[in-house]
Amino acid sequence: MSGDALALRGLRKVFAKPAVDDLDLTVRAGEFYALLGPNGAGKTTTLRMVAGLLKPDAGSISVFGVDALADPLAAKRLIAWLPDEPMLYDKLTPLEYLQFVAGLWGVGAAKARARAEELLRWLDLWDQRHQRCEGFSRGMKQKAALAGALIHDPQLLILDEPLTGLDAAVARQVKDLLQARVQAGATVILTTHILEVAERLADRIGIIQGGKLRAEGTLGELRARAGALTGDKGDADGTLEDVFLQLVGGEEA
Amino acid sequence: MSVFLLPSGSTPWLLCHELKLNIRAITGRKGGLRSVALVAALLVAGTVFGGLPVAMALRHIPVRPNAALIVGLDGGLAVLFTLILSQTLAAAAMAFFERGDLDLLLSSPVPPGRVLTVRAASIAATPYLFFALFLTPVVAPLAVLGQPRWLAGYLVLAAVALLAAAAGLSLAMGLFKLVGPRTTRTVGQLLAAVIGAAFFLISQGRNFLPDGGRGAFGGIIRWTQSGAFDPGGLLSWPARAAMGEPLPLIVFVGAAVLIFSGVAANLGRRFAADASAASGVGSGPARTSRRPVTLQGFGDGVFLTMMRKELRLLARDPTLLSQVLLRTLYVLPMTFLLVRKAHHGLAAPGLTSAFGLAAGAGAVSFMAGQVAGSLAWITISAEDAPELLACAPVDGGLVRRAKLVATMIPVAILLSLPLGALLWLTPWIGVCAIFGAGASAAASGLVNLWFEKPAPRKSFRNRRGGSMLGALAELALGLGWGVTTAAAGLLSPWALLPAALTFLAMGLLRAFARPDRAY
């Protein structure tokens, strides 16, 4: 295994125009990485390519040293993908859903059983484990989907706007769970428009714009970079929002 | 003002909006000009080759009401009513769940009563437009060639549609009160299927009624000859309205409008309350799995996991259940007949020769393809979470094979009774039927794989719009295997011809198919 959880080199995807343009990005193992950018910057396209949902036009994707384009199944075994719209079956119960996802990832019976119970209890879904998801609120659906993403104990967890539409309590639960996963050694990549989340949780932050990585580093490093851009070296306490707006340009963001 | 220069928010404006959405739902995403052109071509062809010759023949024949004509027209209107009721009941039941823009409309300054009346009217208008298309090729030439009274057919059709909408809404509301919001959709869909097949089942009564239906049908014939349908009687009024007699026409259409208005007005408030109840999570206890899985159920392989998930989802889909039930109802009379034959031997009334049994075997094969096609579409094209499968470390081919096998299981269960009866009666024909049904079901499944096009599960009713070629192929291959089965059952060497043609067609379809796969 490589020391990098994810390495993207020269990644490119063109729809009507380039959505991801010669992108180089490295996320270290055990890191909480936040990928930020204005709408249409190419965040979701990038992550969908990593998850194996889109085929890149050029470039390479390496997940823990596994070439995701040459051996996609091996790479997928290490990844969990959680989009903002939960990938759920309304007519299945949470337990049936976890059973299904565990089957897809080939999780052993004993481990899957223990993980399912642990996750459902942790996410306060245990009492609803036999109720079909169709009657769930958005937050409950997102929690069920998160449990599905974690059932196979992924080494790389990719989340696209996971907190959209969640109330404060559920959002807190999700954030706690993600932090716990990182503490347990997993790598988390997350996109969000809630900059406070990235500011508080992320070890490093990448800012993508026009399909290219514009800036990357810790919050401190980004502050310094933004300060250098504006010639203001004294703004050491600037929020990520200030930094973000300076780096991507206020109007476009 | 809209593009049609109708005042915004007015009843006609809202109705146009509803109809536009309904038509787009039927024609699909690519609807538009292609669908309009296809409908226009069919209309012209129907008029030239069907309606015009009939109109030429009838143009000088005066229309005088008599008992036979009245019974025929009344019977036709009754059949029409059940067919439309089947659609309006299903639409009314779905209206509670697929509210779509109802929240938007009810939160607008348009009076709620108007919104709900228009929605009810649109439930009637969609089947009206559909059946009016069938009426036009005959009525239009007749009207042009000197019998304009037949134009009354459009008004009578509208009246029947309004009555059916009123009945459908009332039934949906009744079900809502009786079985609650969650079950209304399932029961409504199933009831709609039964109503849609009612006249077919009645017409097949001789195949399953104890005395071959002689008592029941004799009673009906005696009733029609009793004078109840004479031109002066009350039962003659709908038929005379259809024939264009002014007074019956005004009374029939007026009564329909009144009944519809009354139902729409009275149910308007309940509709809003019931619909909001249905859309709320707190409308009752959450649906719990009847046989909840335990923590012991984990650990199966991908294939079994996939199959189990598909079978669960198939069993929990009310729209699919109603469609399968509808097809089961159509195959039911033949099943009764075959089972009775199996019980009493070939001397039992009904089919009298191996030819009949072979034809039955062919029909069962065809039916297997049709049912399998519906199930395969749901499992393959209407996958709820394609991204989950796409990002899972599983081979897409394995997933698709598991889905295909999952669709075969319900087909086998559904057709086990007629297949078993055929096997019992004449083992050779039974064996042919089993192979034919298997081939037909597999062919439909493969067509759905080759013409896979991701679509939401709720588009099930319009699934054939997704790939017209796929839909036609499904039908043609089902017919091919049906004919092959029947011919093979008769030990005819001609069975090779449809079999070869069907295989050839499958090969061509495979070669030209370009599935749109997400996983």
Side-chain angles (χ1 to χ4, degrees):
Chain A
M1 290 270 179
S2 142
D4 292 334
L6 177 69
L8 309 179
R9 296 289 172 264
L11 199 65
R12 183 174 168 80
K13 183 72 189 176
V14 180
F15 296 114
K17 59 177 187 174
V20 176
D21 192 6
D22 201 21
L23 177 70
D24 289 338
L25 179 75
T26 303
V27 178
R28 294 170 204 138
E31 192 173 43
F32 198 127
Y33 189 94
L35 192 59
L36 309 181
N39 291 330
K43 306 183 294 292
T44 301
T45 304
T46 303
L47 296 186
R48 284 172 65 83
M49 286 191 280
V50 175
L53 299 172
L54 274 177
K55 204 172 171 184
D57 294 328
S60 67
I61 301 170
S62 169
V63 178
F64 288 103
V66 176
D67 185 339
L69 300 178
D71 191 356
L73 296 192
K76 285 175 180 181
R77 274 188 205 103
L78 307 170
I79 299 176
W81 160 252
L82 187 73
D84 58 342
E85 243 353 278
M87 300 186 294
L88 274 186
Y89 296 92
D90 278 351
K91 298 286 179 191
L92 294 185
T93 68
L95 203 53
E96 289 168 343
Y97 176 68
L98 293 187
Q99 203 178 58
F100 175 63
V101 180
L104 287 179
W105 262 264
V107 184
K111 186 183 170 192
R113 252 179 254 139
R115 286 290 289 159
E117 181 169 355
E118 179 194 2
L119 286 165
L120 290 176
R121 286 191 189 281
W122 199 354
L123 290 163
D124 295 330
L125 284 175
W126 183 249
D127 291 342
Q128 289 83 30
R129 67 190 181 281
H130 295 315
Q131 290 174 12
R132 293 187 196 169
C133 297
E134 61 193 345
F136 284 7
S137 66
R138 182 181 165 86
M140 288 166 78
K141 284 184 176 177
Q142 190 70 343
K143 287 199 288 186
L146 182 60
L150 295 175
I151 186 89
H152 63 283
D153 222 353
Q155 293 182 46
L156 175 58
L157 185 54
I158 303 171
L159 305 102
D160 189 20
E161 299 285 354
L163 304 177
T164 304
L166 301 188
D167 66 33
V170 178
R172 180 64 175 270
Q173 260 183 312
V174 172
K175 285 186 278 187
D176 288 348
L177 192 56
L178 296 181
Q179 278 186 309
R181 294 299 307 150
V182 172
Q183 278 162 15
T187 308
V188 172
I189 303 176
L190 161 144
T191 73
T192 181
H193 286 295
I194 309 169
L195 299 183
E196 177 261 340
V197 171
E199 191 170 349
R200 283 188 47 206
L201 298 181
D203 298 316
R204 283 196 309 142
I205 296 163
I207 295 177
I208 190 170
Q209 188 182 27
K212 291 178 184 293
L213 194 64
R214 296 292 176 195
E216 187 184 47
T218 61
L219 183 55
E221 288 166 350
L222 290 177
R223 278 192 190 119
R225 172 99 186 258
L229 280 177
T230 57
D232 177 8
K233 292 181 182 173
D235 190 14
D237 297 326
T239 63
L240 180 59
E241 187 177 56
D242 301 328
V243 173
F244 177 76
L245 291 174
Q246 280 169 5
L247 288 173
V248 301
E251 276 180 29
E252 196 175 340
Chain B
M1 298 284 272
S2 76
V3 287
F4 298 106
L5 301 179
L6 296 169
S8 301
S10 67
T11 301
W13 181 86
L14 273 175
L15 194 57
C16 279
H17 169 76
E18 291 282 337
L19 288 177
K20 185 169 69 182
L21 294 181
N22 287 354
I23 289 168
R24 284 185 184 177
I26 292 168
T27 56
R29 274 181 298 178
K30 288 185 179 171
L33 277 178
R34 204 172 60 172
S35 299
V36 171
L38 183 66
V39 169
L42 287 174
L43 264 180
V44 171
T47 305
V48 172
F49 298 110
L52 209 53
V54 172
M56 292 292 281
L58 294 179
R59 67 189 156 149
H60 296 309
I61 299 175
V63 182
R64 291 198 188 88
N66 58 59
L69 186 59
I70 288 167
V71 167
L73 280 173
D74 275 1
L77 289 176
V79 173
L80 189 66
F81 176 78
T82 58
L83 291 176
I84 298 180
L85 175 59
S86 166
Q87 294 183 32
T88 56
L89 172 58
M94 292 305 285
F96 293 115
F97 292 89
E98 291 183 8
R99 301 177 71 202
D101 56 350
L102 202 54
D103 285 335
L104 172 69
L105 292 170
L106 289 175
S107 66
S108 75
V110 177
R114 187 184 298 167
V115 169
L116 295 168
T117 303
V118 166
R119 179 129 305 185
S122 85
I123 287 174
T126 307
Y128 170 78
L129 288 175
F130 177 76
F131 284 102
L133 287 176
F134 286 94
L135 201 62
T136 300
V138 178
V139 166
L142 268 172
V144 172
L145 292 174
Q147 301 232 24
R149 55 165 39 201
W150 287 108
L151 289 173
Y154 288 110
L155 288 175
V156 171
L157 177 62
V160 171
L162 286 176
L163 287 172
L169 279 166
S170 303
L171 271 172
M173 298 301 153
L175 283 174
F176 211 94
K177 287 284 169 215
L178 207 63
V179 296
R182 290 185 191 276
T183 316
T184 294
R185 182 169 54 162
T186 309
V187 177
Q189 298 275 343
L190 294 178
L191 192 57
V194 174
I195 290 170
F199 264 87
F200 171 77
L201 287 176
I202 291 168
S203 71
Q204 295 296 306
R206 67 190 181 88
N207 285 337
F208 57 86
L209 288 174
D211 60 346
R214 279 185 290 277
F217 286 114
I220 292 172
I221 291 168
R222 279 193 295 280
W223 180 47
T224 59
Q225 292 170 342
S226 67
F229 289 89
D230 284 347
L234 195 63
L235 289 173
S236 73
W237 281 53
R240 284 163 56 204
M243 283 185 265
E245 283 190 36
L247 185 60
L249 183 62
I250 291 167
V251 170
F252 187 63
V253 174
V257 171
L258 274 178
I259 290 170
F260 173 80
S261 307
V263 168
N266 283 331
L267 295 180
R269 199 165 9 169
R270 272 179 60 192
F271 184 90
D274 291 348
S276 59
S279 70
V281 184
S283 58
R287 176 138 336 162
T288 304
S289 183
R290 280 199 188 89
R291 284 190 302 167
V293 298
T294 63
L295 284 172
Q296 304 307 315
F298 286 86
D300 292 328
V302 173
F303 197 86
L304 273 180
T305 301
M306 202 68 219
M307 270 181 53
R308 189 169 47 205
K309 169 253 188 187
E310 293 303 344
L311 289 172
R312 272 185 184 137
L313 293 181
L314 287 176
R316 294 172 187 178
D317 190 319
T319 314
L320 179 69
L321 284 179
S322 72
Q323 291 283 312
V324 172
L325 176 70
L326 190 61
R327 293 197 164 119
T328 310
L329 289 174
Y330 282 116
V331 87
L332 212 54
M334 186 173 58
T335 305
F336 276 124
L337 178 62
L338 291 173
V339 171
R340 196 168 54 182
K341 281 276 185 192
H343 190 63
H344 296 292
L346 287 170
L351 298 179
T352 53
S353 65
F355 184 83
L357 286 178
V364 170
S365 296
F366 175 72
M367 193 58 69
Q370 293 298 291
V371 176
S374 300
L375 299 176
W377 185 88
I378 284 278
T379 57
I380 294 165
S381 287
E383 166 62 46
D384 280 330
E387 288 203 347
L388 179 65
L389 299 182
C391 68
V394 290
D395 173 36
L398 182 73
V399 168
R400 286 188 283 278
R401 279 196 295 281
K403 283 171 172 276
L404 206 53
V405 173
T407 62
M408 299 297 139
I409 293 171
V411 179
I413 293 170
L414 192 66
L415 296 177
S416 58
L417 206 55
L419 287 173
L422 279 168
L423 203 59
W424 175 264
L425 275 171
T426 45
W428 169 246
I429 293 180
V431 168
C432 290
I434 289 170
F435 276 100
S440 181
S444 283
L446 287 171
V447 165
N448 275 279
L449 277 182
W450 296 335
F451 292 90
E452 180 182 343
K453 196 168 196 176
R457 191 169 276 258
K458 64 181 180 184
S459 332
F460 177 69
R461 286 178 179 279
N462 307 318
R463 67 193 178 286
R464 300 199 192 285
S467 168
M468 192 60 82
L469 180 60
L472 289 173
E474 212 179 286
L475 192 68
L477 295 182
L479 283 171
W481 284 119
V483 173
T484 303
T485 306
L490 292 171
L491 289 170
S492 166
W494 287 104
L496 293 172
L497 182 64
L501 288 173
T502 310
F503 268 121
L504 180 67
M506 288 178 71
L508 288 172
L509 289 166
R510 176 73 189 91
F512 290 107
R514 296 285 178 271
D516 178 7
R517 282 182 183 145
Y519 52 90

PDB file of all heavy atoms in Angstrom, chain B residues 64-76:
ATOM      1  N   ARG B  64     -81.886   4.039 -36.846  1.00  0.00           N
ATOM      2  CA  ARG B  64     -83.124   3.982 -36.061  1.00  0.00           C
ATOM      3  C   ARG B  64     -82.875   3.106 -34.844  1.00  0.00           C
ATOM      4  O   ARG B  64     -82.427   1.974 -34.982  1.00  0.00           O
ATOM      5  CB  ARG B  64     -84.265   3.389 -36.904  1.00  0.00           C
ATOM      6  CG  ARG B  64     -84.704   4.312 -38.010  1.00  0.00           C
ATOM      7  CD  ARG B  64     -86.074   3.926 -38.536  1.00  0.00           C
ATOM      8  NE  ARG B  64     -86.371   4.712 -39.716  1.00  0.00           N
ATOM      9  CZ  ARG B  64     -86.031   4.362 -40.951  1.00  0.00           C
ATOM     10  NH1 ARG B  64     -85.416   3.232 -41.161  1.00  0.00           N
ATOM     11  NH2 ARG B  64     -86.329   5.139 -41.983  1.00  0.00           N
ATOM     12  N   PRO B  65     -83.156   3.652 -33.659  1.00  0.00           N
ATOM     13  CA  PRO B  65     -82.902   2.855 -32.459  1.00  0.00           C
ATOM     14  C   PRO B  65     -83.763   1.593 -32.429  1.00  0.00           C
ATOM     15  O   PRO B  65     -84.977   1.681 -32.680  1.00  0.00           O
ATOM     16  CB  PRO B  65     -83.261   3.796 -31.310  1.00  0.00           C
ATOM     17  CG  PRO B  65     -83.915   4.975 -31.897  1.00  0.00           C
ATOM     18  CD  PRO B  65     -83.730   4.963 -33.376  1.00  0.00           C
ATOM     19  N   ASN B  66     -83.147   0.477 -32.190  1.00  0.00           N
ATOM     20  CA  ASN B  66     -83.898  -0.753 -31.935  1.00  0.00           C
ATOM     21  C   ASN B  66     -83.196  -1.483 -30.794  1.00  0.00           C
ATOM     22  O   ASN B  66     -82.064  -1.119 -30.406  1.00  0.00           O
ATOM     23  CB  ASN B  66     -83.946  -1.629 -33.192  1.00  0.00           C
ATOM     24  CG  ASN B  66     -82.560  -1.974 -33.689  1.00  0.00           C
ATOM     25  OD1 ASN B  66     -81.776  -2.582 -32.962  1.00  0.00           O
ATOM     26  ND2 ASN B  66     -82.230  -1.541 -34.909  1.00  0.00           N
ATOM     27  N   ALA B  67     -83.856  -2.474 -30.260  1.00  0.00           N
ATOM     28  CA  ALA B  67     -83.366  -3.126 -29.029  1.00  0.00           C
ATOM     29  C   ALA B  67     -81.942  -3.671 -29.211  1.00  0.00           C
ATOM     30  O   ALA B  67     -81.096  -3.510 -28.326  1.00  0.00           O
ATOM     31  CB  ALA B  67     -84.321  -4.247 -28.625  1.00  0.00           C
ATOM     32  N   ALA B  68     -81.700  -4.307 -30.363  1.00  0.00           N
ATOM     33  CA  ALA B  68     -80.373  -4.917 -30.574  1.00  0.00           C
ATOM     34  C   ALA B  68     -79.277  -3.849 -30.592  1.00  0.00           C
ATOM     35  O   ALA B  68     -78.219  -4.003 -29.949  1.00  0.00           O
ATOM     36  CB  ALA B  68     -80.360  -5.698 -31.882  1.00  0.00           C
ATOM     37  N   LEU B  69     -79.539  -2.753 -31.322  1.00  0.00           N
ATOM     38  CA  LEU B  69     -78.558  -1.674 -31.422  1.00  0.00           C
ATOM     39  C   LEU B  69     -78.330  -1.034 -30.044  1.00  0.00           C
ATOM     40  O   LEU B  69     -77.197  -0.710 -29.650  1.00  0.00           O
ATOM     41  CB  LEU B  69     -79.045  -0.619 -32.434  1.00  0.00           C
ATOM     42  CG  LEU B  69     -78.072   0.511 -32.759  1.00  0.00           C
ATOM     43  CD1 LEU B  69     -76.769  -0.017 -33.338  1.00  0.00           C
ATOM     44  CD2 LEU B  69     -78.714   1.495 -33.745  1.00  0.00           C
ATOM     45  N   ILE B  70     -79.428  -0.851 -29.324  1.00  0.00           N
ATOM     46  CA  ILE B  70     -79.339  -0.228 -27.993  1.00  0.00           C
ATOM     47  C   ILE B  70     -78.529  -1.119 -27.045  1.00  0.00           C
ATOM     48  O   ILE B  70     -77.655  -0.634 -26.307  1.00  0.00           O
ATOM     49  CB  ILE B  70     -80.748   0.056 -27.429  1.00  0.00           C
ATOM     50  CG1 ILE B  70     -81.355   1.227 -28.207  1.00  0.00           C
ATOM     51  CG2 ILE B  70     -80.710   0.348 -25.931  1.00  0.00           C
ATOM     52  CD1 ILE B  70     -82.832   1.424 -27.974  1.00  0.00           C
ATOM     53  N   VAL B  71     -78.809  -2.433 -27.082  1.00  0.00           N
ATOM     54  CA  VAL B  71     -78.045  -3.350 -26.216  1.00  0.00           C
ATOM     55  C   VAL B  71     -76.558  -3.266 -26.584  1.00  0.00           C
ATOM     56  O   VAL B  71     -75.684  -3.185 -25.703  1.00  0.00           O
ATOM     57  CB  VAL B  71     -78.565  -4.803 -26.375  1.00  0.00           C
ATOM     58  CG1 VAL B  71     -77.586  -5.787 -25.728  1.00  0.00           C
ATOM     59  CG2 VAL B  71     -79.936  -4.940 -25.733  1.00  0.00           C
ATOM     60  N   GLY B  72     -76.277  -3.248 -27.886  1.00  0.00           N
ATOM     61  CA  GLY B  72     -74.882  -3.176 -28.335  1.00  0.00           C
ATOM     62  C   GLY B  72     -74.207  -1.899 -27.877  1.00  0.00           C
ATOM     63  O   GLY B  72     -73.099  -1.938 -27.326  1.00  0.00           O
ATOM     64  N   LEU B  73     -74.880  -0.768 -28.079  1.00  0.00           N
ATOM     65  CA  LEU B  73     -74.272   0.517 -27.704  1.00  0.00           C
ATOM     66  C   LEU B  73     -74.142   0.650 -26.182  1.00  0.00           C
ATOM     67  O   LEU B  73     -73.107   1.111 -25.679  1.00  0.00           O
ATOM     68  CB  LEU B  73     -75.096   1.672 -28.275  1.00  0.00           C
ATOM     69  CG  LEU B  73     -74.864   1.989 -29.752  1.00  0.00           C
ATOM     70  CD1 LEU B  73     -75.862   3.033 -30.235  1.00  0.00           C
ATOM     71  CD2 LEU B  73     -73.445   2.485 -29.995  1.00  0.00           C
ATOM     72  N   ASP B  74     -75.204   0.253 -25.478  1.00  0.00           N
ATOM     73  CA  ASP B  74     -75.133   0.317 -24.003  1.00  0.00           C
ATOM     74  C   ASP B  74     -74.007  -0.573 -23.484  1.00  0.00           C
ATOM     75  O   ASP B  74     -73.258  -0.197 -22.574  1.00  0.00           O
ATOM     76  CB  ASP B  74     -76.462  -0.122 -23.377  1.00  0.00           C
ATOM     77  CG  ASP B  74     -77.448   1.044 -23.299  1.00  0.00           C
ATOM     78  OD1 ASP B  74     -77.083   2.149 -23.749  1.00  0.00           O
ATOM     79  OD2 ASP B  74     -78.579   0.853 -22.806  1.00  0.00           O
ATOM     80  N   GLY B  75     -73.919  -1.762 -24.077  1.00  0.00           N
ATOM     81  CA  GLY B  75     -72.844  -2.679 -23.684  1.00  0.00           C
ATOM     82  C   GLY B  75     -71.482  -2.060 -23.948  1.00  0.00           C
ATOM     83  O   GLY B  75     -70.579  -2.117 -23.097  1.00  0.00           O
ATOM     84  N   GLY B  76     -71.335  -1.437 -25.124  1.00  0.00           N
ATOM     85  CA  GLY B  76     -70.074  -0.783 -25.471  1.00  0.00           C
ATOM     86  C   GLY B  76     -69.755   0.330 -24.490  1.00  0.00           C
ATOM     87  O   GLY B  76     -68.601   0.469 -24.037  1.00  0.00           O
TER      88      GLY B  76
END
